[in-house]
């Protein structure tokens, strides 16, 4: 029997037999003892050696739709107030500008402080009070701007004469117009009577050395008023306007 086996035994037969035995025994043993079910059973160094190189990056896909806006976050706490910065330095004083040209002399003032030649100034006057019949009283008018010299002419106009102007020495006043300005010729003082319920204008004068003279002075004049009666009672009630024009 063994002689038959020896006659049939060759290297190929023996190799095939061993392979079959190994497959039936060793293979089963490996399947029982070294069954790989997870990469954790493999050494990292072996995994690193077995890992292939990373392939090239793929083409980026299209952008996805924008997501809904998130809810606003909670308000943060107010920060602490910063420190006040240092005060700035005052800059240097600028240069003084050049003096401007001298302006023209204002009207009606002149260097001498008197009414210019040919210019007119005006004002109102009134006299009101009690009086006996035939009694006279002095009232004053003043020129805001003095004259360089007294007027050469003074003209007094009672109520009727004022209404009849012009024609009274060149003095004119429209009593129908409350806003009308009186007119006086050059070097003349005109005193108009607008109304005189009780009394009348008698005289225009000035006092020199305690003596009364007809005419004005450089600063004004006195008006002498004669009293009248109102309902049988003595009274003074006269008012009017004046105008003076410098020579």
């Amino acid at each position: 029997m063994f002689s038959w086996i020896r006659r049939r035994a060759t290297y190929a037969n023996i190799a095939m037999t061993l392979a079959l035995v190994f497959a039936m025994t060793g293979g089963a043993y490996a399947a029982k003892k070294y069954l790989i079910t997870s990469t954790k059973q493999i050494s990292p160094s072996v995994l690193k050696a077995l890992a292939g190189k990373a392939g090239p990056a793929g083409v980026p896909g299209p952008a996805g739709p924008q997501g809904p806006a998130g809810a606003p976050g909670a308000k943060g706490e107010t920060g602490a107030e910063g420190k006040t910065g240092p005060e700035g330095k005052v800059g240097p004083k600028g240069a003084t500008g050049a003096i401007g040209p001298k302006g023209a002399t204002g009207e009606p003032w002149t260097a001498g402080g008197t009414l210019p030649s040919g210019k007119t100034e005006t004002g109102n006057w009134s006299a009101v009070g009690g009086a006996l019949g035939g009694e006279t009283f002095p009232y004053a008018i003043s020129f805001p701007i003095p004259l360089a010299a007294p007027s050469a002419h003074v003209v007094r106009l009672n109520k009727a004469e004022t209404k009849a102007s012009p024609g009274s020495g060149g003095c004119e006043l429209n009593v129908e117009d409350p806003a009308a300005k009186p007119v006086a010729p050059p070097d003349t003082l005109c005193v108009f009577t607008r109304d005189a319920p009780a009394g009348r204008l008698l005289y225009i004068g000035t006092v020199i050395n305690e003596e009364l003279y007809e005419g004005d002075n450089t600063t004004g004049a006195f008006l002498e008023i004669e009293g009248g009666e109102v309902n049988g009672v003595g009274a003074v009630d006269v008012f009017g306007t004046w105008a003076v024009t410098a020579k």
Side-chain angles (χ1 to χ4, degrees):
M1 175 180 166
F2 290 104
S3 61
W4 180 84
I5 293 173
R6 283 194 299 268
R7 284 196 304 269
R8 297 289 184 179
T10 64
Y11 176 80
N13 291 336
I14 294 173
M16 292 178 62
T17 302
L18 291 175
L20 179 61
V21 171
F22 177 78
M24 297 176 62
T25 60
Y29 180 82
K32 180 179 180 182
K33 297 296 183 177
Y34 298 103
L35 181 64
I36 305 301
T37 60
S38 172
T39 56
K40 294 181 180 180
Q41 297 174 263
I42 303 174
S43 171
S45 59
V46 175
L47 285 175
K48 184 176 181 180
L50 295 176
K53 294 182 179 180
V59 178
Q66 183 176 351
K75 183 179 178 181
E77 296 182 0
T78 302
E81 184 177 356
K83 296 181 179 180
T84 302
E87 184 176 356
K89 296 181 179 180
V90 178
K93 182 179 179 180
T96 302
I99 298 176
K102 183 179 180 180
T105 302
E107 292 289 351
W109 295 102
T110 62
T114 57
L115 186 66
S117 177
K119 297 297 182 179
T120 302
E121 57 182 328
T122 64
N124 295 322
W125 64 274
S126 64
V128 179
L132 298 175
E135 190 174 8
T136 60
F137 296 87
Y139 291 90
I141 60 174
S142 297
F143 304 150
I145 305 173
L147 303 177
S151 301
H153 311 282
V154 292
V155 179
R156 58 182 175 85
L157 294 88
N158 287 310
K159 182 177 180 180
E161 295 170 331
T162 298
K163 287 186 176 181
S165 64
S168 301
C171 300
E172 299 180 21
L173 175 63
N174 181 6
V175 294
E176 303 299 330
D177 183 4
K181 293 183 178 181
V183 176
D187 205 13
T188 302
L189 167 64
C190 300
V191 181
F192 305 89
T193 301
R194 282 187 174 272
D195 202 0
R200 64 191 182 99
L201 175 62
L202 291 180
Y203 188 76
I204 302 172
T206 185
V207 176
I208 302 175
N209 295 327
E210 300 181 357
E211 294 291 335
L212 182 62
Y213 296 89
E214 186 177 9
D216 62 4
N217 57 44
T218 58
T219 58
F222 285 102
L223 306 182
E224 187 175 5
I225 309 298
E226 182 182 40
E229 290 187 0
V230 177
N231 297 325
V233 179
V236 176
D237 187 4
V238 186
F239 61 92
T241 301
W242 60 265
V244 63
T245 302
K247 180 179 178 179

